[in-house]
Amino acid sequence: MINRLYDTSLSLLTDLYQLTMAYGYWKSGKAEQEAVFNLYFRKHPFGGGFTVACGLSSAISYLNEYGLSKKDIAYLRTLTGSDGQPLFEEEFLEYLKNLEFKCDVAAVPEGTVVFPNEPLLRITGPILQCQLLETPLLNLINFQTLIATKAARMRLVAPDDALLEFGLRRAQGPDGGMTASRAAYIGGFDATSNVLAGKLYGIPIKGTHAHSWVMSFDSELESFETYARFLPNNVTLLVDTYDTIQGVKNAIIVGKQLRQRGHDLGGIRLDSGDLAYLSIEARKLLDAAGFEKTSIVASNDLDEHIMASLKQQGAKIDVWGVGTKLVTAYDQPALGGVYKLAALKNENGEWENKVKLSEQTIKTSTPGIQQVRRYKNERGFIADMIFDVRDNLSEKIKMIDPYDFTRQRTFDKKHQYEDLLQTIFQAGKQNYEIPPIEETKLRVQQQLAQFHEGTKRFVNPHTYPVGLEKKLFDEKTALIVKLRGGKE
């Protein structure tokens, strides 16, 4: 669906080094060597204790339509090296032109709450193809996961209020605006002002009028009356153009006129000033005039922290219109997801585990063909364990924290669990049905309800236990020691 936004092939939505590596694999005869890559992130965004996986639907759409067009190949033919000669030889371009996607893909369903170092996607297939998918998959997953997480945090602050996404005008281009609208809805928002998102994704749309509408009339009251006359079934009046309290009073006058015509005043919107004080005073005026059901909408650079503060101050806000700080992920504009090689099949057809080392422990990758097992009890989710699907797990399973090996847990058959990664593609063919967006949205709230409240708090959140199954922990440790020149 995202392809329809630009009506063009997105197969070159990649970094040049993916193509140069692909060329190198092809030249060295490694193009068809089987590999496993994992897409994951290293740290929760916004200083939080959870992250909401999002973007899989877009990734599926991308993979289903993958393939370089004649125009793509013609463009690659124009690329030159430092000597002015063609960067890629013609035979390689012909290979790319005929490339058929044939990877296996496993992924965590959209709307799943996830944690650092857990694979959100596992890609298995020819290394050349896996490599070409790194940049586009990160692009499609990173941003939507970031926005869905931001939206979910706001839903936690206002569990019973209406949340409206108003960010299109401030979004990072049309694609940023579209994907932000979708991810915000999945994360917990009720509607968007983005009409195209409503059309393409089936998201409810909401909107009223701007200050310019009020300013275009001789008086605020006249602007309200005119709007209510032409759109009596969509009346939320922006009351802060000149004087907010007087604006509320004018809205009440129009509300009474609406009732005489069989309609009602849906809401008023506050877009500036002391939102706590003004919402409290507006509520008093509305209730005294018999408009107890008229909503008070607040906007003005809101985020979850401002919303929480307004709640603590007793603000009488029923509907929150959030724009810039949601769709731009204002306080952390990137998730920092990565895509790492975890296993490679050798000439004997055997898998060899791979690990990327770093002086920073957090950047050392985990080897193997990974799956994530989420354990639960009657109170909810209790721990996530990453294991290698090739290992035969014993009846008693030990999980070790890779960053503190003294932190260990043991699980046995009495513990309920679910394995998070589901098969999406087999040999390049989709065999997974994408759930309706409403189902994905519901999944987020169902998931969050299963976690301890401490995991969801904004300040010093509880660290949810995530670790490696002992065999995988030992394999990772042995590989690190070997690569650093020690003895196994």
Side-chain angles (χ1 to χ4, degrees), residues 338-350:
V338 295
Y339 185 90
K340 298 299 179 185
L341 177 67
L344 196 62
K345 191 169 283 188
N346 63 25
E347 295 177 353
N348 298 321
E350 300 170 337

Side-chain angles (χ1 to χ4, degrees), residues 354-419:
K354 298 292 180 178
V355 66
K356 181 256 179 191
L357 295 185
S358 174
E359 295 300 319
Q360 298 172 261
T361 304
I362 195 173
K363 286 194 171 186
T364 297
S365 66
T366 298
I369 305 174
Q370 298 167 33
Q371 173 63 276
V372 182
R373 180 161 293 181
R374 178 160 291 169
Y375 287 96
K376 54 187 175 181
N377 59 22
E378 65 280 0
R379 294 186 300 276
F381 300 134
I382 56 175
D384 285 7
M385 181 186 73
I386 304 169
F387 68 98
D388 192 310
V389 298
R390 297 166 295 172
D391 290 333
N392 293 319
L393 303 184
S394 61
E395 288 192 7
K396 284 202 171 184
I397 302 171
K398 183 175 286 188
M399 183 183 88
I400 303 174
D401 185 333
Y403 303 114
D404 182 356
F405 67 88
T406 65
R407 297 170 65 91
Q408 302 182 8
R409 290 182 176 229
T410 301
F411 303 100
D412 55 33
K413 288 186 175 180
K414 73 179 182 181
H415 287 96
Q416 300 178 51
Y417 67 84
E418 60 179 311
D419 289 342

Side-chain angles (χ1 to χ4, degrees), residues 11-12 21 42 48 56 58 110 123 164 173 177 179 228 231 242 255 275 309 313 328 357 370 399 411 418-419 461 484:
S11 295
L12 290 185
M21 283 189 286
R42 296 183 176 121
L56 178 60
S58 300
E110 280 192 288
I123 316 297
L164 310 180
T179 52
L231 290 138
Y242 303 120
L275 296 180
S309 176
Q313 295 172 61
T328 64
L357 295 185
Q370 298 167 33
M399 183 183 88
F411 303 100
E418 60 179 311
D419 289 342
R484 286 182 173 158

Side-chain angles (χ1 to χ4, degrees), residues 253-324:
I253 293 172
V254 173
K256 292 177 179 178
Q257 295 171 357
L258 278 166
R259 285 182 173 174
Q260 292 174 357
R261 301 198 297 270
H263 296 280
D264 212 341
L265 177 62
I268 62 164
R269 180 159 72 99
L270 307 172
D271 190 50
S272 61
D274 186 333
L275 296 180
Y277 167 78
L278 291 172
S279 66
I280 292 169
E281 294 305 306
R283 185 77 272 161
K284 291 177 183 177
L285 290 171
L286 290 167
D287 290 353
F291 290 91
E292 294 90 348
K293 294 184 178 180
T294 295
S295 298
I296 297 178
V297 184
S299 47
N300 190 25
D301 281 343
L302 299 174
D303 64 12
E304 66 268 43
H305 303 291
I306 295 172
M307 291 166 63
S309 176
L310 288 168
K311 287 278 191 182
Q312 291 171 353
Q313 295 172 61
K316 301 298 182 181
I317 296 169
D318 310 293
V319 182
W320 305 82
V322 188
T324 306

Side-chain angles (χ1 to χ4, degrees), residues 3 8-14 62 65-69 72 132 136:
N3 287 24
T8 187
S9 165
L10 293 183
S11 295
L12 290 185
L13 182 69
T14 191
Y62 175 86
E65 298 174 24
Y66 186 81
L68 276 71
S69 68
D72 293 334
L132 289 176

Side-chain angles (χ1 to χ4, degrees), residues 1-2 39 52-64 104-112 119-123 136-146 148 179 182-183 186 420-425 430-435 440 443:
M1 187 172 288
I2 192 172
L39 186 155
V52 175
C54 194
L56 178 60
S57 177
S58 300
I60 291 172
S61 175
Y62 175 86
L63 293 173
N64 273 324
D104 296 340
V105 180
V108 170
E110 280 192 288
T112 302
L120 307 188
L121 277 81
R122 186 184 71 222
I123 316 297
L137 289 178
L138 284 169
N139 179 273
L140 293 167
I141 299 296
N142 274 346
F143 182 66
Q144 291 192 58
T145 296
L146 190 71
T179 52
R182 180 181 184 276
I186 287 173
L420 299 186
L421 289 167
Q422 298 183 17
T423 300
I424 309 299
F425 286 86
Q430 181 182 340
N431 62 355
Y432 172 83
E433 186 175 346
I434 300 173
T440 302
R443 180 177 176 83

